Amino acid sequence: MPQEFPAIRLVALDLDGTLLNREGHVTPRTRAALQAAVDKGVYIVPATGRPLASLPPEVAQLPGIRYVITCNGAAVWDLGSDPVGAVYSRYSNAKEHRTSTPVCLLHSLMPVETAREAFAVCESCHADLRIFSDGYACTDAHSIALAAARAAKKDGTEARQPNDGRFTILRDAAEWMSRNAFAIEKLCVFFETPQQAAAALPRFRAVPGVEIVQGSPKNVEVTAAGVDKGEALRALADRLGVPHECTLAVGDSENDRAMLQKAGVAAVMANGIPEIRALAHLVSKADCDHDAWPRYWKPLASEPVFAAIFQHFYRHLPDFSGHSSFLCNVYKLLCKTLCLLSITKDGLFVYTSTISAYGGIAPTGANPTHRESSNIKGEMRYESHRRKGLSDRHYPCYRFQQR
């Protein structure tokens, strides 16, 4: 039996490698897809390992943004009616901006002694260190220089972050920690190579009372034990009255694992690591630089969606390359006939939504070269008909056109 997905009411979107491209921007097509979701009453929630100060103003300005999960779930914020002002309130140069006051709905801080012990390990790495506290992104001048050099290499999914005031530069991180260890949301260390990060992992995991994940192969992220994006997503969904099964999580990396596991529907980017793609109900064909998110939303946007049926028909889509248009028309007529036969005299047409069979969703086992090998554009139509005494049913058919 195909798996049935309910209507999506809350979408949690990772930032780096997912919502943002590698230049740190949201594409126009992605913005339009978000607007379409918001128009249907769907909550759009950025879910990031970053602190509030590092939420790009470009993201805060997106349609419908009010709630945000930060620091891998250590904090959930209500940005109110002025999301950009709420972000600027955590800038080091906040006085230069119009600001507003965000409300922290959930705050899971590291115990003081745990924070101190984890910080000692961070310091011993002599790498790019970030300290996240009360929405602020604290670091030092040396780490800023390391980050700039790393960004110049362009060899990871971490989006560029300008030093526009979003970082609070500390003169002495150790001295600052001695006074503020009680207020740590998250510690994060960025390394030059994945090998360096892997070598440091055992030392971090030896610290009691912490949660260790990686947002990319080159970093290590530390929060209090039990803190993750998935728990924060469920807590926010409960607060908003959204059933857990009506949530969609989209991500690409290890720090998205819990969110993908605990959401109703899990979607992973083509640029996601293999272990994370294995968790997904849906895997995009496009990466973060090629508008993968809008292709997710199209088939999940309207009514309860039988996504597994879509995947099944996608797998078995005939390849008409090299054949005449006659065969294409025969197949089109056959599909239309089957759809018409499925409608009884008691049927009442409810809605029709068309999704591209060559869209952004590549189910496990799909032929990745199918699009290139075919000169036929295929679309599959789901038609829902309400019958007396029965629930909604969906009837798939294909529509083909010569390119």
Side-chain angles (χ1 to χ4, degrees):
M1 292 292 293
Q3 184 176 1
E4 180 179 330
F5 295 138
I8 300 301
R9 294 177 54 193
L10 189 157
V11 178
L13 289 162
D14 173 54
L15 295 188
D16 298 287
T18 302
L19 178 62
L20 300 175
N21 62 22
R22 288 178 176 84
E23 295 300 317
H25 297 300
V26 180
T27 66
R29 187 177 179 189
T30 294
R31 188 181 296 271
L34 293 172
Q35 183 66 67
V38 171
D39 290 345
K40 293 179 179 293
V42 175
Y43 294 103
I44 301 298
V45 180
T48 179
R50 302 183 184 199
L52 181 58
S54 296
L55 185 74
E58 182 176 348
V59 172
Q61 293 171 358
L62 289 172
I65 298 297
R66 175 172 175 175
Y67 303 100
V68 57
I69 296 169
T70 64
C71 296
N72 289 344
V76 178
W77 299 89
D78 181 349
L79 306 184
S81 60
D82 182 14
V84 176
V87 171
Y88 282 147
S89 74
R90 268 36 182 193
Y91 270 41
S92 61
N93 59 353
K95 292 181 180 180
E96 300 175 10
H97 301 276
R98 186 190 71 185
T99 62
S100 61
T101 303
V103 176
C104 193
L105 305 177
L106 172 70
H107 222 186
S108 301
L109 302 177
M110 298 174 67
V112 173
E113 291 306 318
T114 301
R116 287 174 175 162
E117 188 172 350
F119 176 76
V121 177
C122 292
E123 270 201 313
S124 70
C125 295
H126 304 290
D128 177 0
L129 171 63
R130 310 293 171 86
I131 306 169
F132 302 156
S133 175
D134 192 31
Y136 291 92
C138 301
T139 187
D140 55 29
H142 176 64
S143 293
I144 290 292
L146 291 175
R150 192 174 63 254
K153 295 179 180 179
K154 299 182 180 181
D155 59 352
T157 59
E158 180 191 358
R160 292 183 176 183
Q161 293 195 58
N163 186 12
D164 57 356
R166 68 186 63 188
F167 298 113
T168 297
I169 310 300
L170 306 174
R171 281 185 259 182
D172 187 334
E175 189 277 331
W176 186 93
M177 273 294 298
S178 70
R179 295 181 288 104
N180 295 279
F182 63 91
I184 304 304
E185 296 168 344
K186 174 184 160 183
L187 298 170
C188 185
V189 180
F190 292 90
F191 296 88
E192 293 301 313
T193 67
Q195 292 76 19
Q196 291 176 348
L201 278 173
R203 285 186 286 156
F204 283 102
R205 288 173 176 154
V207 178
V210 296
E211 199 78 28
I212 305 296
V213 295
Q214 291 185 274
S216 78
K218 291 185 178 182
N219 83 345
V220 176
E221 305 178 357
V222 188
T223 57
V227 171
D228 60 58
K229 292 183 183 180
E231 286 302 311
L233 170 59
R234 288 187 169 187
L236 179 59
D238 290 341
R239 188 180 187 93
L240 299 176
V242 176
H244 296 170
E245 61 270 21
C246 295
T247 60
L248 165 68
V250 189
D252 71 303
S253 63
E254 187 62 37
N255 70 348
D256 300 315
R257 176 184 291 273
M259 178 173 71
L260 295 166
Q261 290 174 328
K262 296 174 183 179
V265 180
V268 175
M269 308 291 287
N271 51 270
I273 62 176
E275 297 84 353
I276 297 304
R277 291 202 302 269
L279 302 174
H281 298 105
L282 306 169
V283 177
S284 72
K285 289 183 68 178
D287 62 18
C288 62
D289 287 327
H290 296 91
D291 291 313
W293 154 247
R295 305 181 192 192
Y296 278 134
W297 180 246
K298 197 171 183 181
L300 289 170
S302 51
E303 299 282 338
V305 175
F306 291 75
I309 295 180
F310 167 72
Q311 295 181 14
H312 170 79
F313 277 86
Y314 184 105
R315 279 194 203 99
H316 297 92
L317 184 66
D319 185 357
F320 288 105
S321 63
H323 296 279
S324 67
S325 60
F326 172 76
L327 291 177
C328 173
N329 290 330
V330 169
Y331 189 77
K332 178 173 64 175
L333 178 61
L334 174 62
C335 290
K336 286 184 176 180
T337 303
L338 291 173
C339 287
L340 289 172
L341 288 174
S342 68
I343 305 174
T344 70
K345 63 181 180 180
D346 294 325
L348 175 64
F349 180 79
V350 178
Y351 76 91
T352 299
S353 61
T354 303
I355 55 180
S356 172
Y358 294 130
I361 301 171
T364 303
N367 180 1
T369 61
H370 196 155
R371 183 171 190 172
E372 289 74 14
S373 66
S374 175
N375 62 354
I376 301 298
K377 179 181 179 182
E379 292 184 328
M380 182 171 65
R381 175 171 299 208
Y382 284 103
E383 296 184 349
S384 176
H385 306 272
R386 181 167 290 122
R387 300 184 179 187
K388 291 181 180 179
L390 297 176
S391 60
D392 286 359
R393 296 182 63 187
H394 295 65
Y395 302 94
C397 63
Y398 287 110
R399 184 175 63 193
F400 291 93
Q401 295 176 341
Q402 290 281 4
R403 289 180 182 173

